[in-house]
Amino acid sequence: MLRTSIIKENTPEIISSLKKKNFDGQKIIKKIIETDNIRIKIQKELNSLQNHMNSLSKEIGICFAKNNKEKAEKLKSESGKLKILIQTKNDEQKIAIKKINQLLIQIPNIANKNVPIGNTEKENEIIKNFGTIPKLEKSKLPHWELAKKYDIIDFEKGNIITGAGFPLYKNKGAKLQRSLINFFLDFNISNGYTEYLPPQLVNEASAFGTGNFPDKEGQMYHIEKDDLYLIPTAEVPLTNIFRNEIINSVNLPIKLTAYTPCFRREAGSYGKNVRGLNRLHQFDKVEIVQLAHPEKSYSNLKEMVKHISNLLEELKLPFRLVKLCGGDLSFSSALTYDFEVFSAGQNKWLEVSSVSNFESFQATRTNIKFREDSNLNFCHTLNGSALALPRIMAAILENNQTESGIKIPESLYKYTGFKMIS
RNA sequence: GGAGAGAUGGCAGAGUGGUCGAAUGCGGUGGUCUUGAAAACCAUUGUACCGAAAGGUACCGGGGGUUCGAAUCCCUCUCUCUCCGCCA
């Protein structure tokens, strides 16, 4: 959420940054500024009325103490009138604040100046390619065929148990999944991230805090009976650990990591994009989150990008780093890099990580501040997948397929206890 | 799920209708003393909004009500604790 004070101070810059995200903010921002000026006017009036009321009440108290009932009654009738005025002003103020907030939450985060202009993923900027794309036999298979061949993922049983998009891992497939989780967590921990195992259901305030609610409400599973949401990513509980907190600046950056299953309704998805492990309703992911000093958040972002590159290099997977254009940027993000792994069985790039700087957008919604000397300011929040499991699994299966089976990346040996799936 | 008790500043903990934004202790910060430190002593120490400032206003879990006046009384919601029931 943007703050009214910032909007007022940088109106033209904000409107033009929002354009990059294909958001026309002209009207809504004008409305916010107008309403805020009304709010200030109301508050001034209200404060002076309240001030008057407070001194009257004190006086009445003194009159009673001195047994001067006559004067007390007279003052009482005066304050009665004031009371009605105050109530009216109070209601007006509440309405104005509510109106401003309703407008503010509709505005996406502004794009960083380095975000490329563009409307769709076609205009994303490919920064760099890493690794080499494997040359496979003509008989190469996509991962869903391989999964069947080696009996490691049962999609049909998942359909029976739950429905489409809920795969059932088994045998070495289950072990490989568990190994990847542990490998990612250990790698993150050894780079200074603190491990958490958070709740997988969150309340509305938490979902609001990270910007998933109300904007992407339809993408989350909602438990109506208890009014809770299944997390679409560990970002939601991790960021909300610090909701309404003031952090001492010496403790920044705070670095967190967590493994959680993630649940997404993926309303509107169809076709080959949802084949196999490509897009699921439930999947495993290890996430990293940072709470950062505003002046350092972009170097922290760089560090996170490097960290994720290292992780993918450990797995010997070919990948590319992509900078998202304005139109492809999410509601809350100011700058996002995607990591895409090349999966040779399908001949396509699969997004396995998305690393973003949200600047103070989420911190404003969650009210996470830091204290430096005697000043209070909003933190910056950042997060990234390190990494999302299913597509990594898909790429490992597809890229490492051989006549004799699937080769496990060396870094995983100590976790899997086996070197081949055959 | 049933019955009861409770929620006060960073923490502990007073306050049951008036001058209470809130005693006191601990912690934090600054200072005095000291070669240095500890101890002791002094001062200071919540957040938001309005205001150039002085200052003003709001906030004692959330929301609503009674009252001229609410941390204090009433209603309601949420959460915590104790007991009973159920249970991995």
Side-chain angles (χ1 to χ4, degrees):
Chain A
M1 186 161 76
L2 303 180
R3 272 159 271 145
T4 314
S5 56
I6 309 263
I7 290 176
K8 279 178 151 176
E9 283 161 25
N10 311 284
T11 313
E13 294 89 334
I14 286 175
I15 289 173
S16 78
S17 300
L18 286 170
K19 266 190 196 134
K20 248 193 192 174
K21 266 187 146 171
N22 292 332
F23 185 88
D24 182 6
Q26 196 91 39
K27 266 191 197 161
I28 195 167
I29 282 175
K30 191 177 164 220
K31 192 83 200 158
I32 286 170
I33 293 172
E34 276 174 15
T35 315
D36 194 58
N37 290 336
I38 292 169
R39 193 210 103 229
I40 289 170
K41 185 171 165 273
I42 292 168
Q43 196 194 329
K44 281 180 188 169
E45 292 165 359
L46 177 62
N47 284 175
S48 91
L49 288 172
Q50 283 169 324
N51 188 3
H52 191 184
M53 183 63 139
N54 286 344
S55 48
L56 259 184
S57 293
K58 275 181 195 170
E59 216 178 316
I60 292 169
I62 292 163
C63 286
F64 275 119
K66 287 182 180 165
N67 221 357
N68 189 348
K69 281 185 182 153
E70 216 172 289
K71 192 178 176 194
E73 288 304 326
K74 200 180 150 205
L75 292 172
K76 257 188 173 182
S77 69
E78 194 180 334
S79 66
K81 289 173 210 155
L82 254 183
K83 195 184 168 183
I84 296 162
L85 279 174
I86 287 174
Q87 246 155 17
T88 316
K89 278 287 166 219
N90 215 341
D91 291 344
E92 280 177 32
Q93 191 192 34
K94 276 184 187 165
I95 290 165
I97 291 170
K98 202 174 165 189
K99 195 167 166 189
I100 293 165
N101 279 328
Q102 274 170 350
L103 294 169
L104 281 174
I105 62 170
Q106 291 173 40
I107 303 177
N109 197 4
I110 55 174
N112 177 276
K113 63 180 189 307
N114 293 319
V115 168
I117 291 169
N119 291 320
T120 67
E121 59 180 82
K122 285 183 190 123
E123 283 124 311
N124 290 344
E125 190 182 311
I126 296 166
I127 307 282
K128 203 179 165 188
N129 285 277
F130 298 80
T132 47
I133 290 169
K135 290 199 176 88
L136 297 180
E137 305 289 327
K138 281 237 170 74
S139 60
K140 69 180 180 187
L141 296 171
H143 68 269
W144 52 90
E145 300 282 353
L146 294 162
K148 201 172 206 169
K149 183 174 172 185
Y150 297 110
D151 195 23
I152 52 173
I153 307 170
D154 193 330
F155 290 100
E156 286 76 20
K157 287 289 182 199
N159 287 341
I160 288 169
I161 299 166
T162 309
F166 293 90
L168 176 71
Y169 298 89
K170 62 186 287 200
N171 294 327
K172 285 184 174 175
K175 187 84 186 277
L176 177 56
Q177 186 82 359
R178 190 151 54 85
S179 301
L180 283 165
I181 293 167
N182 282 329
F183 169 66
F184 293 152
L185 280 173
D186 287 348
F187 195 89
N188 296 341
I189 292 164
S190 68
N191 280 277
Y193 291 87
T194 304
E195 185 183 354
Y196 284 80
L197 189 58
Q200 291 157 21
L201 292 171
V202 294
N203 54 32
E204 189 185 303
S206 290
F208 174 81
T210 39
N212 302 79
F213 184 95
D215 183 55
K216 282 181 277 187
E217 188 186 355
Q219 284 298 340
M220 288 187 290
Y221 286 97
H222 185 203
I223 315 279
E224 278 182 40
K225 204 168 181 184
D226 299 289
D227 199 17
L228 295 171
Y229 295 86
L230 271 85
I231 55 169
T233 158
E235 163 197 350
V236 180
L238 285 180
T239 307
N240 277 284
I241 292 171
F242 297 91
R243 175 144 49 95
N244 293 323
E245 287 206 5
I246 297 169
I247 298 160
N248 190 325
S249 67
V250 300
N251 294 323
L252 295 176
I254 291 177
K255 298 165 79 176
L256 324 164
T257 187
Y259 152 70
T260 66
C262 301
F263 303 90
R264 297 184 184 180
R265 294 186 61 234
E266 300 296 356
S269 298
Y270 61 91
K272 63 174 189 258
N273 291 331
V274 304
R275 197 80 199 267
L277 295 173
N278 288 350
R279 189 171 292 275
L280 300 167
H281 288 305
Q282 179 181 333
F283 64 97
D284 293 314
K285 182 156 65 68
V286 175
E287 185 79 0
I288 51 176
V289 168
Q290 289 202 21
L291 303 187
H293 192 288
E295 283 162 25
K296 294 180 185 145
S297 66
Y298 279 95
S299 70
N300 292 30
L301 181 67
K302 216 177 222 176
E303 176 208 308
M304 288 167 82
V305 166
K306 181 71 185 146
H307 176 77
I308 292 161
S309 296
N310 292 342
L311 207 42
L312 286 164
E313 277 168 11
E314 281 283 322
L315 293 174
K316 303 249 171 1
L317 292 169
F319 65 97
R320 64 184 188 186
L321 178 62
V322 177
K323 191 197 267 180
L324 298 195
C325 71
D328 210 20
L329 218 51
S330 75
F331 185 76
S332 307
S333 176
L335 179 64
T336 296
Y337 291 99
D338 274 3
F339 284 89
E340 297 179 348
V341 159
F342 190 80
S343 205
Q346 303 177 75
N347 252 323
K348 72 196 239 189
W349 294 95
L350 301 175
E351 184 199 324
V352 292
S353 178
S354 197
V355 197
S356 307
N357 188 351
F358 302 91
E359 297 191 357
S360 62
F361 192 82
Q362 293 181 328
T364 302
R365 289 176 154 237
T366 42
N367 191 27
I368 303 175
K369 294 182 175 173
F370 71 96
R371 192 190 303 278
E372 189 173 41
D373 304 320
S374 57
N375 299 317
L376 280 183
N377 208 342
F378 286 95
C379 286
H380 280 194
T381 62
L382 305 96
N383 68 54
S385 340
L387 292 157
L389 278 278
R391 294 175 188 162
I392 292 289
M393 174 78 93
I396 289 175
L397 297 181
E398 293 183 13
N399 292 352
N400 299 357
Q401 58 182 301
T402 67
E403 291 275 302
S404 51
I406 291 154
K407 289 194 279 188
I408 299 296
E410 232 176 290
S411 319
L412 296 178
Y413 287 176
K414 67 168 177 175
Y415 294 97
T416 54
F418 53 82
K419 297 177 178 180
M420 290 287 283
I421 295 175
S422 53

